[in-house]
mmCIF file of all heavy atoms in Angstrom:
data_model
loop_
_atom_site.group_PDB
_atom_site.id
_atom_site.type_symbol
_atom_site.label_atom_id
_atom_site.label_comp_id
_atom_site.label_asym_id
_atom_site.label_seq_id
_atom_site.Cartn_x
_atom_site.Cartn_y
_atom_site.Cartn_z
ATOM 1 N N ILE P 1 0.898 -1.146 -0.015
ATOM 2 C CA ILE P 1 -0.019 0.004 0.012
ATOM 3 C C ILE P 1 0.922 1.214 0.001
ATOM 4 O O ILE P 1 1.641 1.409 0.973
ATOM 5 C CB ILE P 1 -0.894 0.064 1.235
ATOM 6 C CG1 ILE P 1 -1.766 -1.218 1.340
ATOM 7 C CG2 ILE P 1 -1.774 1.280 1.209
ATOM 8 C CD1 ILE P 1 -2.584 -1.306 2.597
ATOM 9 N N VAL P 2 0.903 1.960 -1.100
ATOM 10 C CA VAL P 2 1.816 3.060 -1.229
ATOM 11 C C VAL P 2 1.115 4.378 -1.097
ATOM 12 O O VAL P 2 -0.093 4.472 -1.253
ATOM 13 C CB VAL P 2 2.597 2.972 -2.569
ATOM 14 C CG1 VAL P 2 3.441 1.755 -2.629
ATOM 15 C CG2 VAL P 2 1.624 3.089 -3.740
ATOM 16 N N SER P 3 1.898 5.393 -0.771
ATOM 17 C CA SER P 3 1.371 6.715 -0.549
ATOM 18 C C SER P 3 1.646 7.599 -1.778
ATOM 19 O O SER P 3 2.780 7.699 -2.233
ATOM 20 C CB SER P 3 2.023 7.313 0.697
ATOM 21 O OG SER P 3 1.636 8.670 0.846
ATOM 22 N N TYR P 4 0.587 8.210 -2.266
ATOM 23 C CA TYR P 4 0.714 9.060 -3.478
ATOM 24 C C TYR P 4 0.387 10.481 -3.130
ATOM 25 O O TYR P 4 -0.740 10.806 -2.696
ATOM 26 C CB TYR P 4 -0.253 8.531 -4.574
ATOM 27 C CG TYR P 4 -0.132 9.193 -5.911
ATOM 28 C CD1 TYR P 4 1.074 9.782 -6.335
ATOM 29 C CD2 TYR P 4 -1.228 9.304 -6.773
ATOM 30 C CE1 TYR P 4 1.215 10.376 -7.571
ATOM 31 C CE2 TYR P 4 -1.115 9.890 -8.028
ATOM 32 C CZ TYR P 4 0.113 10.449 -8.423
ATOM 33 O OH TYR P 4 0.206 11.048 -9.637
ATOM 34 N N PHE P 5 1.360 11.368 -3.210
ATOM 35 C CA PHE P 5 1.181 12.751 -2.924
ATOM 36 C C PHE P 5 2.272 13.519 -3.685
ATOM 37 O O PHE P 5 3.304 12.918 -4.092
ATOM 38 C CB PHE P 5 1.235 13.060 -1.434
ATOM 39 C CG PHE P 5 2.547 12.708 -0.784
ATOM 40 C CD1 PHE P 5 3.592 13.621 -0.644
ATOM 41 C CD2 PHE P 5 2.762 11.421 -0.310
ATOM 42 C CE1 PHE P 5 4.743 13.284 -0.028
ATOM 43 C CE2 PHE P 5 3.944 11.081 0.275
ATOM 44 C CZ PHE P 5 4.969 11.989 0.416
ATOM 45 N N PRO P 6 2.115 14.820 -3.930
ATOM 46 C CA PRO P 6 3.116 15.597 -4.670
ATOM 47 C C PRO P 6 4.492 15.444 -4.036
ATOM 48 O O PRO P 6 4.668 15.654 -2.807
ATOM 49 C CB PRO P 6 2.620 17.027 -4.523
ATOM 50 C CG PRO P 6 1.132 16.868 -4.410
ATOM 51 C CD PRO P 6 0.929 15.623 -3.584
ATOM 52 N N GLY P 7 5.468 15.044 -4.824
ATOM 53 C CA GLY P 7 6.801 14.866 -4.311
ATOM 54 C C GLY P 7 7.096 13.449 -3.838
ATOM 55 O O GLY P 7 8.248 13.181 -3.463
ATOM 56 N N SER P 8 6.111 12.556 -3.882
ATOM 57 C CA SER P 8 6.343 11.182 -3.450
ATOM 58 C C SER P 8 7.109 10.407 -4.542
ATOM 59 O O SER P 8 7.307 10.893 -5.669
ATOM 60 C CB SER P 8 5.038 10.476 -3.132
ATOM 61 O OG SER P 8 4.282 10.266 -4.318
ATOM 62 N N ASN P 9 7.501 9.175 -4.216
ATOM 63 C CA ASN P 9 8.224 8.338 -5.217
ATOM 64 C C ASN P 9 7.310 7.763 -6.275
ATOM 65 O O ASN P 9 7.784 7.154 -7.208
ATOM 66 C CB ASN P 9 8.914 7.182 -4.465
ATOM 67 C CG ASN P 9 10.120 7.667 -3.675
ATOM 68 O OD1 ASN P 9 10.619 8.741 -3.904
ATOM 69 N ND2 ASN P 9 10.530 6.873 -2.720
ATOM 70 N N VAL P 10 6.014 7.849 -6.091
ATOM 71 C CA VAL P 10 5.048 7.342 -7.086
ATOM 72 C C VAL P 10 5.015 8.360 -8.244
ATOM 73 O O VAL P 10 4.488 9.470 -8.074
ATOM 74 C CB VAL P 10 3.670 7.147 -6.482
ATOM 75 C CG1 VAL P 10 2.724 6.569 -7.528
ATOM 76 C CG2 VAL P 10 3.774 6.177 -5.254
ATOM 77 N N ILE P 11 5.474 7.961 -9.386
ATOM 78 C CA ILE P 11 5.485 8.856 -10.563
ATOM 79 C C ILE P 11 4.123 8.965 -11.168
ATOM 80 O O ILE P 11 3.661 10.040 -11.623
ATOM 81 C CB ILE P 11 6.510 8.348 -11.605
ATOM 82 C CG1 ILE P 11 7.888 8.192 -10.963
ATOM 83 C CG2 ILE P 11 6.555 9.302 -12.772
ATOM 84 C CD1 ILE P 11 8.433 9.422 -10.348
ATOM 85 N N TRP P 12 3.409 7.832 -11.270
ATOM 86 C CA TRP P 12 2.082 7.804 -11.846
ATOM 87 C C TRP P 12 1.372 6.608 -11.287
ATOM 88 O O TRP P 12 1.955 5.603 -10.913
ATOM 89 C CB TRP P 12 2.203 7.679 -13.385
ATOM 90 C CG TRP P 12 0.858 7.611 -14.071
ATOM 91 C CD1 TRP P 12 0.063 8.647 -14.539
ATOM 92 C CD2 TRP P 12 0.160 6.408 -14.440
ATOM 93 N NE1 TRP P 12 -1.067 8.170 -15.108
ATOM 94 C CE2 TRP P 12 -1.054 6.803 -15.077
ATOM 95 C CE3 TRP P 12 0.380 5.053 -14.247
ATOM 96 C CZ2 TRP P 12 -1.981 5.898 -15.540
ATOM 97 C CZ3 TRP P 12 -0.553 4.130 -14.703
ATOM 98 C CH2 TRP P 12 -1.716 4.582 -15.348
ATOM 99 N N ALA P 13 0.032 6.706 -11.180
ATOM 100 C CA ALA P 13 -0.756 5.593 -10.669
ATOM 101 C C ALA P 13 -2.126 5.568 -11.328
ATOM 102 O O ALA P 13 -2.722 6.632 -11.574
ATOM 103 C CB ALA P 13 -0.928 5.714 -9.143
ATOM 104 N N ASN P 14 -2.575 4.376 -11.689
ATOM 105 C CA ASN P 14 -3.878 4.171 -12.262
ATOM 106 C C ASN P 14 -4.958 4.448 -11.230
ATOM 107 O O ASN P 14 -4.897 3.879 -10.121
ATOM 108 C CB ASN P 14 -3.981 2.733 -12.825
ATOM 109 C CG ASN P 14 -5.196 2.548 -13.684
ATOM 110 O OD1 ASN P 14 -6.290 3.028 -13.315
ATOM 111 N ND2 ASN P 14 -5.053 1.852 -14.774
ATOM 112 N N ASP P 15 -5.908 5.261 -11.540
ATOM 113 C CA ASP P 15 -6.947 5.615 -10.568
ATOM 114 C C ASP P 15 -7.736 4.410 -10.051
ATOM 115 O O ASP P 15 -8.315 4.463 -8.966
ATOM 116 C CB ASP P 15 -7.927 6.644 -11.174
ATOM 117 C CG ASP P 15 -7.316 8.043 -11.281
ATOM 118 O OD1 ASP P 15 -6.292 8.268 -10.602
ATOM 119 O OD2 ASP P 15 -7.834 8.850 -12.007
ATOM 120 N N SER P 16 -7.741 3.333 -10.853
ATOM 121 C CA SER P 16 -8.475 2.172 -10.403
ATOM 122 C C SER P 16 -7.827 1.515 -9.193
ATOM 123 O O SER P 16 -8.465 0.692 -8.498
ATOM 124 C CB SER P 16 -8.543 1.117 -11.563
ATOM 125 O OG SER P 16 -7.263 0.629 -11.866
ATOM 126 N N LEU P 17 -6.579 1.853 -8.889
ATOM 127 C CA LEU P 17 -5.884 1.340 -7.730
ATOM 128 C C LEU P 17 -5.971 2.223 -6.513
ATOM 129 O O LEU P 17 -5.446 1.900 -5.459
ATOM 130 C CB LEU P 17 -4.390 1.127 -8.089
ATOM 131 C CG LEU P 17 -4.060 0.281 -9.293
ATOM 132 C CD1 LEU P 17 -2.581 0.241 -9.558
ATOM 133 C CD2 LEU P 17 -4.603 -1.146 -9.116
ATOM 134 N N ASP P 18 -6.710 3.317 -6.667
ATOM 135 C CA ASP P 18 -6.824 4.315 -5.578
ATOM 136 C C ASP P 18 -7.890 3.822 -4.555
ATOM 137 O O ASP P 18 -9.069 3.634 -4.928
ATOM 138 C CB ASP P 18 -7.306 5.651 -6.170
ATOM 139 C CG ASP P 18 -7.311 6.739 -5.131
ATOM 140 O OD1 ASP P 18 -7.128 6.470 -3.931
ATOM 141 O OD2 ASP P 18 -7.568 7.897 -5.518
ATOM 142 N N ILE P 19 -7.469 3.552 -3.345
ATOM 143 C CA ILE P 19 -8.389 3.124 -2.279
ATOM 144 C C ILE P 19 -8.665 4.208 -1.223
ATOM 145 O O ILE P 19 -9.105 3.931 -0.140
ATOM 146 C CB ILE P 19 -7.895 1.852 -1.611
ATOM 147 C CG1 ILE P 19 -6.555 2.069 -0.891
ATOM 148 C CG2 ILE P 19 -7.808 0.705 -2.611
ATOM 149 C CD1 ILE P 19 -6.130 0.890 -0.024
ATOM 150 N N THR P 20 -8.328 5.456 -1.576
ATOM 151 C CA THR P 20 -8.427 6.525 -0.603
ATOM 152 C C THR P 20 -9.866 6.658 -0.066
ATOM 153 O O THR P 20 -10.057 6.808 1.187
ATOM 154 C CB THR P 20 -8.037 7.895 -1.240
ATOM 155 O OG1 THR P 20 -6.679 7.757 -1.749
ATOM 156 C CG2 THR P 20 -8.046 8.965 -0.191
ATOM 157 N N ALA P 21 -10.860 6.617 -0.924
ATOM 158 C CA ALA P 21 -12.252 6.782 -0.490
ATOM 159 C C ALA P 21 -12.640 5.685 0.502
ATOM 160 O O ALA P 21 -13.262 5.933 1.517
ATOM 161 C CB ALA P 21 -13.184 6.771 -1.711
ATOM 162 N N LYS P 22 -12.255 4.435 0.168
ATOM 163 C CA LYS P 22 -12.579 3.313 1.081
ATOM 164 C C LYS P 22 -11.880 3.500 2.415
ATOM 165 O O LYS P 22 -12.463 3.285 3.484
ATOM 166 C CB LYS P 22 -12.126 1.972 0.443
ATOM 167 C CG LYS P 22 -12.188 0.814 1.419
ATOM 168 C CD LYS P 22 -11.700 -0.491 0.820
ATOM 169 C CE LYS P 22 -11.531 -1.568 1.826
ATOM 170 N NZ LYS P 22 -12.668 -1.741 2.756
ATOM 171 N N VAL P 23 -10.579 3.902 2.379
ATOM 172 C CA VAL P 23 -9.835 4.095 3.589
ATOM 173 C C VAL P 23 -10.491 5.118 4.501
ATOM 174 O O VAL P 23 -10.688 4.943 5.686
ATOM 175 C CB VAL P 23 -8.394 4.476 3.279
ATOM 176 C CG1 VAL P 23 -7.635 4.952 4.558
ATOM 177 C CG2 VAL P 23 -7.646 3.308 2.674
ATOM 178 N N LEU P 24 -10.865 6.285 3.878
ATOM 179 C CA LEU P 24 -11.495 7.334 4.642
ATOM 180 C C LEU P 24 -12.857 6.887 5.230
ATOM 181 O O LEU P 24 -13.155 7.203 6.383
ATOM 182 C CB LEU P 24 -11.659 8.568 3.799
ATOM 183 C CG LEU P 24 -10.428 9.425 3.596
ATOM 184 C CD1 LEU P 24 -10.664 10.504 2.516
ATOM 185 C CD2 LEU P 24 -9.991 10.059 4.910
ATOM 186 N N ASN P 25 -13.640 6.198 4.408
ATOM 187 C CA ASN P 25 -14.939 5.752 4.885
ATOM 188 C C ASN P 25 -14.775 4.772 6.059
ATOM 189 O O ASN P 25 -15.476 4.879 7.107
ATOM 190 C CB ASN P 25 -15.682 5.037 3.770
ATOM 191 C CG ASN P 25 -16.230 5.978 2.751
ATOM 192 O OD1 ASN P 25 -16.429 7.185 3.008
ATOM 193 N ND2 ASN P 25 -16.451 5.543 1.527
ATOM 194 N N ASP P 26 -13.824 3.848 5.931
ATOM 195 C CA ASP P 26 -13.596 2.874 7.026
ATOM 196 C C ASP P 26 -13.046 3.551 8.291
ATOM 197 O O ASP P 26 -13.586 3.306 9.373
ATOM 198 C CB ASP P 26 -12.581 1.810 6.538
ATOM 199 C CG ASP P 26 -13.157 0.888 5.487
ATOM 200 O OD1 ASP P 26 -14.366 0.926 5.289
ATOM 201 O OD2 ASP P 26 -12.361 0.111 4.931
ATOM 202 N N LEU P 27 -12.076 4.391 8.125
ATOM 203 C CA LEU P 27 -11.468 5.045 9.305
ATOM 204 C C LEU P 27 -12.455 5.925 10.031
ATOM 205 O O LEU P 27 -12.565 5.931 11.258
ATOM 206 C CB LEU P 27 -10.227 5.826 8.891
ATOM 207 C CG LEU P 27 -9.008 5.046 8.492
ATOM 208 C CD1 LEU P 27 -7.890 5.967 7.966
ATOM 209 C CD2 LEU P 27 -8.458 4.247 9.665
ATOM 210 N N ASN P 28 -13.196 6.699 9.247
ATOM 211 C CA ASN P 28 -14.157 7.616 9.842
ATOM 212 C C ASN P 28 -15.332 6.876 10.518
ATOM 213 O O ASN P 28 -15.833 7.263 11.560
ATOM 214 C CB ASN P 28 -14.693 8.610 8.842
ATOM 215 C CG ASN P 28 -13.672 9.701 8.520
ATOM 216 O OD1 ASN P 28 -12.844 10.069 9.366
ATOM 217 N ND2 ASN P 28 -13.677 10.217 7.329
ATOM 218 N N ARG P 29 -15.773 5.808 9.863
ATOM 219 C CA ARG P 29 -16.863 4.976 10.423
ATOM 220 C C ARG P 29 -16.403 4.357 11.765
ATOM 221 O O ARG P 29 -17.129 4.411 12.754
ATOM 222 C CB ARG P 29 -17.293 3.879 9.477
ATOM 223 C CG ARG P 29 -18.489 3.053 10.023
ATOM 224 C CD ARG P 29 -18.789 1.877 9.130
ATOM 225 N NE ARG P 29 -17.762 0.862 9.178
ATOM 226 C CZ ARG P 29 -16.935 0.621 8.193
ATOM 227 N NH1 ARG P 29 -16.953 1.326 7.083
ATOM 228 N NH2 ARG P 29 -15.989 -0.330 8.316
ATOM 229 N N GLU P 30 -15.192 3.807 11.768
ATOM 230 C CA GLU P 30 -14.679 3.201 13.017
ATOM 231 C C GLU P 30 -14.491 4.244 14.104
ATOM 232 O O GLU P 30 -14.744 3.977 15.306
ATOM 233 C CB GLU P 30 -13.362 2.502 12.697
ATOM 234 C CG GLU P 30 -13.534 1.259 11.800
ATOM 235 C CD GLU P 30 -12.175 0.618 11.461
ATOM 236 O OE1 GLU P 30 -11.173 1.121 11.954
ATOM 237 O OE2 GLU P 30 -12.206 -0.348 10.704
ATOM 238 N N TYR P 31 -14.048 5.393 13.706
ATOM 239 C CA TYR P 31 -13.861 6.498 14.706
ATOM 240 C C TYR P 31 -15.181 6.936 15.312
ATOM 241 O O TYR P 31 -15.312 7.057 16.517
ATOM 242 C CB TYR P 31 -13.148 7.664 14.056
ATOM 243 C CG TYR P 31 -13.036 8.874 14.938
ATOM 244 C CD1 TYR P 31 -12.381 8.817 16.130
ATOM 245 C CD2 TYR P 31 -13.577 10.092 14.558
ATOM 246 C CE1 TYR P 31 -12.254 9.896 16.973
ATOM 247 C CE2 TYR P 31 -13.484 11.207 15.362
ATOM 248 C CZ TYR P 31 -12.812 11.108 16.592
ATOM 249 O OH TYR P 31 -12.706 12.216 17.401
ATOM 250 N N ARG P 32 -16.210 7.098 14.471
ATOM 251 C CA ARG P 32 -17.513 7.506 14.964
ATOM 252 C C ARG P 32 -18.093 6.453 15.876
ATOM 253 O O ARG P 32 -18.726 6.752 16.914
ATOM 254 C CB ARG P 32 -18.471 7.750 13.803
ATOM 255 C CG ARG P 32 -18.106 8.989 12.931
ATOM 256 C CD ARG P 32 -18.872 8.987 11.667
ATOM 257 N NE ARG P 32 -18.332 9.945 10.706
ATOM 258 C CZ ARG P 32 -18.507 9.881 9.384
ATOM 259 N NH1 ARG P 32 -19.161 8.854 8.881
ATOM 260 N NH2 ARG P 32 -17.969 10.809 8.595
ATOM 261 N N GLU P 33 -17.948 5.177 15.512
ATOM 262 C CA GLU P 33 -18.467 4.102 16.347
ATOM 263 C C GLU P 33 -17.718 4.040 17.680
ATOM 264 O O GLU P 33 -18.347 3.778 18.702
ATOM 265 C CB GLU P 33 -18.281 2.775 15.615
ATOM 266 C CG GLU P 33 -19.255 2.645 14.404
ATOM 267 C CD GLU P 33 -18.980 1.342 13.595
ATOM 268 O OE1 GLU P 33 -17.931 0.681 13.913
ATOM 269 O OE2 GLU P 33 -19.748 1.053 12.723
ATOM 270 N N SER P 34 -16.442 4.324 17.691
ATOM 271 C CA SER P 34 -15.662 4.275 18.955
ATOM 272 C C SER P 34 -16.090 5.376 19.874
ATOM 273 O O SER P 34 -16.023 5.224 21.091
ATOM 274 C CB SER P 34 -14.175 4.382 18.668
ATOM 275 O OG SER P 34 -13.826 5.702 18.145
ATOM 276 N N ARG P 35 -16.579 6.476 19.321
ATOM 277 C CA ARG P 35 -16.965 7.657 20.161
ATOM 278 C C ARG P 35 -18.340 7.388 20.832
ATOM 279 O O ARG P 35 -18.678 8.029 21.843
ATOM 280 C CB ARG P 35 -17.069 8.895 19.326
ATOM 281 C CG ARG P 35 -15.725 9.353 18.719
ATOM 282 C CD ARG P 35 -15.887 10.684 18.022
ATOM 283 N NE ARG P 35 -16.070 11.746 18.983
ATOM 284 C CZ ARG P 35 -16.232 13.027 18.660
ATOM 285 N NH1 ARG P 35 -16.264 13.373 17.373
ATOM 286 N NH2 ARG P 35 -16.397 13.986 19.548
#
């Protein structure tokens, strides 16, 4: 699982491999449930 941001080592990445939305949904859901 690599990190893609300006200046990172990832030169290019296919958007189909982007799991950012899933990660945010999971993390935020778990955080809300923990509260």
Side-chain angles (χ1 to χ4, degrees):
I1 302 174
V2 298
S3 174
Y4 186 28
F5 60 94
S8 69
N9 288 341
V10 180
I11 306 302
W12 178 88
N14 191 316
D15 286 342
S16 66
L17 304 176
D18 185 355
I19 62 170
T20 305
K22 170 182 170 49
V23 169
L24 281 171
N25 287 337
D26 289 350
L27 288 174
N28 284 330
R29 184 187 68 253
E30 291 176 4
Y31 174 58
R32 291 167 192 156
E33 289 175 352
S34 68
R35 297 186 70 181

